[in-house]
Amino acid sequence: MELLDGLDVPLLPALLSALAISLTICYVLFFSRAGKGLPPGPRGWPVLGNLPQLGGKTHQTLHEMSKLYGPVLRLRFGSSVVVVAGSAGAAEQFLRTNDAKFSNRPPNSGGEHMAYNYQDVVFGPYGPRWRAMRKVCAVNLFSARALDDLRGFREREASLMVKSLADAAAASGAGPVVALGKAANVCTTNALSRAAVGRRVFAAAGGEGAREFKEIVLEVMEVGGVLNVGDFVPALRWLDPQGVVARMKKLHRRFDDMMNGIIAEREGGCGMAPGEDGKEKDLLGLLLGMMQEEKSLTGGEEDDKITHTDIKALVLNLFVAGTETTSTIVEWAVAELIRHPDLLQQAQEELDAVVGRARVVSEADLPRLPFFTAVIKETFRLHPSTPLSLPRMASEECFVAGYRIPKGTELLVNIWGIARDPALWPDPLEFRPSRFLAGGSHADVDLKGADFGLIPFGAGRRICAGLSWGLRMVTITAATLVHAFDWELPAGQTPDKLNMEEAFSLLLQRAMPLMVHPVRRLLPSAYEIV
Ligand code: HEM
């Protein structure tokens, strides 16, 4: 009271008000900074966290969990904190608003043991070297000009695919059954390998080298898709309980030996690809040329010349990220059309009107195929090749939807779940290409990372580097198949009962490969491909 005695009485309420205001400001500042705290999520197991709850089809499990816990879901994989973006709004906040903070990928055994200790584009740290390597790819493979220059490879491989299927098919009626995904994979892999290293991986008479290349590419994709428990539980890393690291190391040695052989062969020549006309310059030739000229990658002072390791890591990336991703979509697209005969007929009528029946599709035809383009978009929506995208990692703390996301948190974006959100997509499980046509509900939506309801290639700084190639390759391959053949299912199967179940690894493949009888539908001259 003595203290108050000295105070001028009108001052007291003023002081109390000031105190109350200060406390309110502190409270508001504190809680707006901390938001609602960490995002919600299910309790996990000791040590393993939520890993045992993921099941075989992780994207589906996470989709269900997001419905329960909300669009920003928190999990624990071993010792790693993981958040899952399960709505377009959440994806936009991570990949647009906070993209700079999520432009690195978390460490993992694939990056370490296969991708030359993160010296590649997919796993490499965000920075000048990563940017420079992406630019090299963009300029020489994926720019509009490079894409046009390399168009011949894609069209040629699509024609060769038609020829091999036509040889298998009967002139009328059903011939032998073929695995459509495999045929598409030969096409997409060969087109890319010709552009990247000047040779076909799957050559009919390719000899030992081609066989080795093919085996390695397939196994890298398989082992890269395994969720390695040792990545999340450091105590188990040395044990390598699934044998994943041992396989990766062995595979890496094989890939490295093979690439050393290809490079040595090339360095003995002039750095040019042994293309059919002897003039084609592939990416490998260009990169080796840059290395010989000791070109700086970043234009900086430091020692940043391109090395053999950079080249090998990049070639590995292209094959792993750019072949199966592409052919899988083609297989899903044809399966959806077989399941919907009315849509297949509409697609074939459009193709016939634009291309005719005397030749196969060329890339110049593609801009005049709005319905077929919509079919491809709808396939990317329902069957995105990488349903959980590729993981990112928070390089600093940030706040998303009011939740605190600590530094080091891993981010998964459920591309698959977002594209099935009924709030965004009417009848989301229906295969309905017309939604992308003029006058449809999503006429202006594209796949290039601007519309967060549909981001099969991811978004932001680390959006798929091969988006433009992937889109073109998928469209020309699928259009060629749909135009050149009718597809009959093996005896006992009917279109309406076609099995559309998903298998899960890192890639969204069909649980049951699509087996079909191709039946020719063009004039005989269209199949005379030399
Ligand atoms: C058509 C099918 C394809 C799909 C659906 C697809 C999807 C993706 C996705 C979702 C990512 C992660 C993006 C992110 O973190 O936001 C990615 C990254 C990447 N993709 Fe693709 N991709 C496809 C084809 C290709 C092709 C044809 C190539 C190359 C020839 C390629 C090369 C890459 C590379 C190098 C990255 C890593 C980019 C980085 O980290 O900077 N992809 N892709």
Side-chain angles (χ1 to χ4, degrees), residues 227-507:
L227 197 105
N228 181 21
V229 174
D231 284 349
F232 302 106
V233 185
L236 293 180
R237 198 166 294 154
W238 67 275
L239 258 178
D240 187 20
Q242 298 144 286
V244 174
V245 170
R247 270 180 79 194
M248 285 178 172
K249 286 181 177 169
K250 201 165 147 209
L251 203 53
H252 174 76
R253 276 194 299 277
R254 275 177 74 194
F255 177 80
D256 195 56
D257 286 349
M258 184 192 68
M259 280 307 297
N260 286 338
I262 293 178
I263 288 174
E265 198 180 285
R266 201 58 85 70
E267 284 178 335
C270 60
M272 303 285 277
E276 281 167 347
D277 58 5
K279 284 186 192 147
E280 292 151 359
K281 193 161 194 175
D282 57 37
L283 186 73
L284 178 62
L286 282 158
L287 292 170
L288 290 172
M290 282 173 71
M291 203 182 86
Q292 275 159 15
E293 288 166 29
E294 299 200 339
K295 262 203 180 143
S296 157
L297 262 179
T298 62
E301 298 281 299
E302 60 196 278
D303 182 19
D304 66 349
K305 312 279 182 287
I306 193 163
T307 64
H308 276 149
T309 307
D310 293 318
I311 297 175
K312 291 185 282 190
L314 181 60
V315 170
L316 179 76
N317 277 172
L318 297 180
F319 280 112
V320 177
T323 54
E324 196 84 15
T325 45
T326 313
S327 57
T328 307
I329 295 275
V330 173
E331 192 185 10
W332 280 114
V334 176
E336 285 288 8
L337 290 176
I338 291 175
R339 219 161 61 101
H340 296 90
D342 53 326
L343 300 178
L344 176 59
Q345 189 185 340
Q346 206 175 334
Q348 287 179 329
E349 280 170 7
E350 181 183 67
L351 284 155
D352 288 346
V354 171
V355 184
R357 292 216 181 185
R359 63 172 177 88
V360 294
V361 181
S362 86
E363 285 196 1
D365 301 317
L366 302 183
R368 290 184 291 144
L369 299 170
F371 182 72
F372 200 79
T373 306
V375 166
I376 295 300
K377 281 187 182 176
E378 185 68 339
T379 310
F380 270 107
R381 183 181 72 81
L382 281 176
H383 310 288
S385 330
T386 48
L388 293 173
S389 188
L390 296 180
R392 310 274 194 102
M393 190 180 65
S395 51
E396 54 184 276
E397 181 186 77
C398 60
F399 291 85
V400 170
Y403 295 115
R404 187 170 71 82
I405 310 294
K407 178 179 174 179
T409 300
E410 289 193 19
L411 166 68
L412 296 176
V413 178
N414 197 342
I415 289 176
W416 182 93
I418 293 170
R420 286 163 183 249
D421 181 350
L424 282 179
W425 304 96
D427 300 321
L429 304 185
E430 291 282 308
F431 185 79
R432 191 182 291 160
S434 60
R435 59 178 101 233
F436 294 107
L437 292 176
S441 57
H442 292 76
D444 299 325
V445 166
D446 75 16
L447 308 175
K448 299 182 181 166
D451 298 294
F452 284 81
L454 188 59
I455 46 169
F457 294 95
R461 287 166 174 75
R462 290 203 90 135
I463 192 171
C464 175
L467 186 159
S468 58
W469 178 284
L471 258 183
R472 277 264 195 126
M473 193 74 233
V474 166
T475 314
I476 184 71
T477 312
T480 305
L481 287 169
V482 171
H483 177 236
F485 301 99
D486 284 317
W487 302 99
E488 287 183 6
L489 293 171
Q493 287 187 34
T494 51
D496 56 319
K497 300 257 164 51
L498 187 63
N499 185 329
M500 298 298 275
E501 220 179 294
E502 300 169 339
F504 185 75
S505 65
L506 189 69
L507 275 176

